[in-house]
Amino acid sequence: MTNHQLNLIFESFSPKGHVKHWEPFGNGHINDTFLGRNQENEASDFILQRKNHKIFTNVPGMMDNIVSVTEHIRKGLEEKNEAYIDRKVMKYFTAKDGKWYVNDKQGNYWTLFLYIPGSHSVENIENPEQAMMAARAFGHFQLQLSDLPGGKLVETIPNFHNGISRLNDFRKAIEQNQAGRVAEHRELLDQLLNRADEMTLLQKWLDSGELPLRITHNDTKINNILFDKNDQPLCIIDLDTVMPGSALYDFGDAIRTIGNTAPEDESDLSKIGFSSDIFKAFAEGYLAEAGKFLTQKERENLSFSCLYMAWEQAIRFMTDYLNGDTYYKIAYPEHNLVRTKAQFRYLEVLEENREAMEKFIRKVG
């Protein structure tokens, strides 16, 4: 995209300021993002982002979600007379037609929001202190949204963490056997299926109301937190996947990734372990904030959510492998199978540590 093209899109919005130069920003793999420097002295800079509408097929609904969430957080900060609010929550701009996005001539969707100066992100959690800080940030994000009914938001990716839906997809993939891979992996398939009754409980609890429907981020990686120059959390970003769900999703998925001592596609299963120090730090930090609103049922199942998310991801990888690798990008033919085996091994490790995890949750919760 040229400066001229980006400026034409920018001018379709209604911010105060003029941009003389745009530059690629960040390292996201889904959206295209550009930073625009404001010409006016001491004025804020802007982020212009092209949303991937092939993945997020309902961009208007997604933007309604994002604005509902950010405006709710902003209102809460204003009520508490917080300072520097534009550094603590994202600020989006409407287009001149009142929408939260602009369509270009190719049908792409563009959004515009304020850049937060003096901020930075971190790619990986390297120690328990970082884990605790990240957990407090995500727990606080959930706390800020705990009085905004989840039912008011749309599902940007329908059935994203719905275990029953994922299980149905898995069983369908086994039945259809499109890539002819079922027979040689029957033992692994059975091991995953044997856990289905327990693992689908989370969705059943949501459906019955035993677990409250909340607003969840659904991508609780540390690089979705902005930090200030003193490495203190400022705000949560990358809100494309914010939608209704269970608070347990965010906790469980964080531990699914940061609690594992090996990469998600580790082929040497002996390297896959569980970092109890990272888990304890994350659990303590999360409960320091989220403990202010979680129900007893949610507290009791925080550890279970870690197992659930590992199981869900394992059957998603295996479903794709059985279907002929049509969803996840692969680096080699057996990549999804390796991912499945690694995720299943991590599930086994979590099962071995479940009692200790639950004991710690009861202690700090």
Side-chain angles (χ1 to χ4, degrees):
M1 296 291 290
T2 66
N3 265 345
H4 177 67
Q5 290 172 313
L6 291 170
N7 269 326
L8 287 176
I9 296 168
F10 173 75
E11 289 166 3
S12 297
F13 289 91
S14 52
K16 295 180 180 179
H18 301 278
V19 172
K20 63 178 179 180
H21 178 69
W22 294 94
E23 58 193 59
F25 184 78
N27 57 0
H29 300 298
I30 295 178
N31 302 316
D32 295 323
T33 308
F34 300 89
L35 171 63
R37 298 295 185 182
N38 200 329
Q39 288 184 4
E40 299 179 11
N41 291 334
E42 298 186 13
S44 298
D45 297 327
F46 302 99
I47 296 288
L48 191 61
Q49 189 171 69
R50 178 168 56 191
K51 299 296 187 182
N52 188 329
H53 59 278
K54 293 181 180 179
I55 292 179
F56 299 104
T57 57
N58 181 8
V59 175
M62 178 181 73
M63 289 309 302
D64 285 344
N65 282 4
I66 291 173
V67 173
S68 293
V69 163
T70 53
E71 291 303 307
H72 185 79
I73 292 174
R74 181 174 295 274
K75 181 180 177 182
L77 294 172
E78 289 172 348
E79 289 173 351
K80 294 179 180 179
N81 294 316
E82 293 257 1
Y84 309 112
I85 290 177
D86 282 344
R87 294 178 61 76
K88 297 175 181 178
V89 63
M90 298 176 72
K91 179 178 176 58
Y92 281 81
F93 294 94
T94 58
K96 290 179 179 177
D97 62 5
K99 297 177 181 177
W100 293 102
Y101 58 87
V102 165
N103 290 115
D104 63 20
K105 293 180 180 179
Q106 289 72 42
N108 296 306
Y109 290 80
W110 292 85
T111 63
L112 184 74
F113 53 92
L114 274 186
Y115 170 68
I116 300 178
S119 64
H120 68 277
S121 60
V122 176
E123 285 304 311
N124 297 295
I125 288 177
E126 298 176 351
N127 53 61
E129 290 73 25
Q130 282 185 330
M132 182 174 291
M133 196 175 298
R136 290 188 73 108
F138 282 117
H140 186 64
F141 177 78
Q142 287 187 347
L143 175 62
Q144 289 175 305
L145 299 173
S146 60
D147 57 347
L148 179 60
K152 289 187 175 181
L153 274 62
V154 302
E155 284 189 288
T156 52
I157 305 177
N159 298 314
F160 189 48
H161 288 312
N162 184 325
I164 296 174
S165 178
R166 294 294 185 185
L167 177 63
N168 289 339
D169 292 342
F170 183 44
R171 285 175 168 157
K172 183 178 179 181
I174 295 172
E175 180 183 348
Q176 294 183 343
N177 194 19
Q178 292 181 13
R181 294 168 167 174
V182 168
E184 61 183 312
H185 303 294
R186 175 54 69 180
E187 182 179 354
L188 177 57
L189 299 178
D190 287 344
Q191 287 177 312
L192 289 166
L193 288 169
N194 288 341
R195 288 165 169 78
D197 285 348
E198 181 183 18
M199 293 303 164
T200 52
L201 284 174
L202 201 157
Q203 187 60 44
K204 291 174 183 175
W205 292 334
L206 274 175
D207 291 343
S208 69
E210 291 180 71
L211 283 178
L213 189 67
R214 300 197 185 276
I215 296 170
T216 51
H217 186 276
N218 296 299
D219 194 10
T220 45
K221 298 193 297 285
I222 195 171
N223 62 3
N224 286 329
I225 304 170
L226 286 184
F227 295 88
D228 65 16
K229 63 180 180 180
N230 298 316
D231 292 325
Q232 295 301 306
L234 283 171
C235 74
I236 302 296
I237 60 171
D238 196 4
L239 306 179
D240 293 1
T241 54
V242 168
M243 57 183 153
S246 170
L248 301 180
Y249 293 161
D250 284 353
F251 183 88
D253 202 34
I255 299 302
R256 185 188 71 80
T257 54
I258 67 172
N260 194 340
T261 59
E264 192 173 64
D265 57 356
E266 177 58 62
S267 59
D268 184 351
L269 300 185
S270 67
K271 293 181 179 179
I272 296 174
F274 174 67
S275 175
S276 60
D277 289 343
I278 293 291
F279 170 79
K280 289 178 179 178
F282 192 91
E284 188 172 348
Y286 178 77
L287 284 167
E289 296 290 339
K292 299 169 185 176
F293 69 85
L294 290 177
T295 65
Q296 186 62 29
K297 184 81 171 179
E298 288 171 313
R299 292 169 185 266
E300 291 172 352
N301 287 285
L302 285 171
S303 298
F304 169 63
S305 74
C306 306
L307 280 65
Y308 168 73
M309 295 303 296
W311 175 82
E312 181 205 284
Q313 192 59 61
I315 67 170
R316 288 179 65 188
F317 284 144
M318 197 62 184
T319 298
D320 197 34
Y321 181 68
L322 297 179
N323 287 338
D325 308 304
T326 60
Y327 183 80
Y328 292 106
K329 291 182 179 179
I330 58 172
Y332 50 91
E334 303 295 301
H335 201 171
N336 272 324
L337 178 62
V338 169
R339 288 165 169 156
T340 303
K341 290 180 176 179
Q343 202 67 202
F344 180 69
R345 177 56 194 150
Y346 185 54
L347 171 58
E348 291 180 317
V349 171
L350 288 171
E351 289 172 338
E352 294 164 6
N353 285 273
R354 183 174 183 174
E355 185 176 346
M357 293 161 65
E358 290 175 345
K359 183 178 179 180
F360 185 78
I361 293 290
R362 287 194 296 270
K363 176 183 174 183
V364 299

